[in-house]
Amino acid sequence: MGIDIKKHHVKKGNRTAPKSEDPYLLLLVKLYRFLARRTDSAFNKAILHRLFLSKINRPPISLSRIVKETANATDRDSKIIVTVGTVTDDVRLLEVPKLTVAALRFTQSAKERILKAGGEVLTLDQLALRAPTGSNTILLRGKRNTREAVKHFGMGPHKHKKPYTISKGRKFERARGRRKSRGFKV
């Protein structure tokens, strides 16, 4: 056995623990590490991996998206919808159906709306007691590329990306002096 010169000192890119020092998150990791090891369930391995991720890679998911994604699911009210991230409210959704949702955290209004509709909100440790192998669950995640910052990526001429402007006023990036409709034309 020799040293692999090319890959010497090269770390694996995958996280094996969360960067966060949040004690509650670390307890969840401890719990799901145990479940992933002791149960033959890919669900627990997936949850464990997602608990390690950075905040950008744990995007929020709105109530309307949860309803939309689970609309075709058979027997939705008996299943637990699971997401490792934040569940947010969506004012555009007029009626919230009865849902059982398990997540890392909920915004206050999302929690209130789920409970008002006769649903249930669970934390991930309550989920581990309710469904230790992830049976009768629907695992969802939010969209990663809907962050404001992503709209600016790849900026350049003819790229149609969102410019970083100081303001959206009359004086800012309106091509004044180049066309009649924007002040004057030279």
Side-chain angles (χ1 to χ4, degrees):
M1 287 291 287
I3 298 168
D4 185 354
I5 302 293
K6 200 168 185 178
K7 295 283 187 190
H8 195 42
H9 297 307
V10 176
K11 278 185 175 178
K12 277 201 177 130
N14 302 339
R15 284 189 180 184
T16 53
K19 276 265 177 76
S20 166
E21 292 172 3
D22 176 4
Y24 300 109
L25 182 67
L26 296 178
L27 282 170
L28 274 180
V29 167
K30 213 175 246 190
L31 168 66
Y32 274 95
R33 219 188 268 286
F34 173 81
L35 286 172
R37 191 178 75 244
R38 294 296 296 272
T39 61
D40 192 27
S41 158
F43 172 83
N44 287 328
K45 289 184 176 67
I47 296 283
L48 179 64
H49 173 66
R50 290 184 195 184
L51 285 170
F52 297 161
L53 298 178
S54 63
K55 195 175 177 187
I56 285 173
N57 290 325
R58 284 187 286 104
I61 188 167
S62 67
L63 276 179
S64 58
R65 182 159 284 281
I66 288 173
V67 171
K68 183 179 156 192
E69 295 291 343
T70 57
N72 300 329
T74 53
D75 204 19
R76 177 173 64 184
D77 19 337
S78 70
K79 290 201 164 93
I80 303 171
I81 296 153
V82 184
T83 178
V84 183
T86 310
V87 174
T88 57
D89 188 17
D90 192 345
V91 290
R92 297 167 298 182
L93 181 70
L94 301 175
E95 274 185 43
V96 179
K98 187 182 174 195
L99 300 168
T100 306
V101 188
L104 264 183
R105 55 182 63 86
F106 296 85
T107 61
Q108 197 173 353
S109 51
K111 194 174 192 174
E112 283 165 4
R113 287 189 75 184
I114 293 167
L115 294 171
K116 192 178 176 189
E120 211 177 346
V121 292
L122 302 173
T123 55
L124 293 181
D125 53 311
Q126 289 170 320
L127 171 75
L129 292 170
R130 189 85 65 92
T133 57
S135 52
N136 274 339
T137 57
I138 302 168
L139 187 57
L140 296 177
R141 55 183 157 189
K143 286 201 145 186
R144 209 172 281 191
N145 288 340
T146 51
R147 287 190 308 138
E148 170 62 27
V150 175
K151 294 177 183 172
H152 300 278
F153 292 170
M155 184 60 193
H158 318 297
K159 290 285 203 283
H160 299 288
K161 295 293 181 180
K162 195 172 184 180
Y164 287 112
T165 54
I166 301 167
S167 173
K168 282 194 75 171
R170 169 188 59 81
K171 300 187 285 187
F172 302 95
E173 302 208 18
R174 292 274 180 242
R176 252 176 103 253
R178 300 295 298 150
R179 49 186 69 91
K180 266 272 176 56
S181 63
R182 294 284 179 268
F184 64 96
K185 170 140 175 53
V186 176

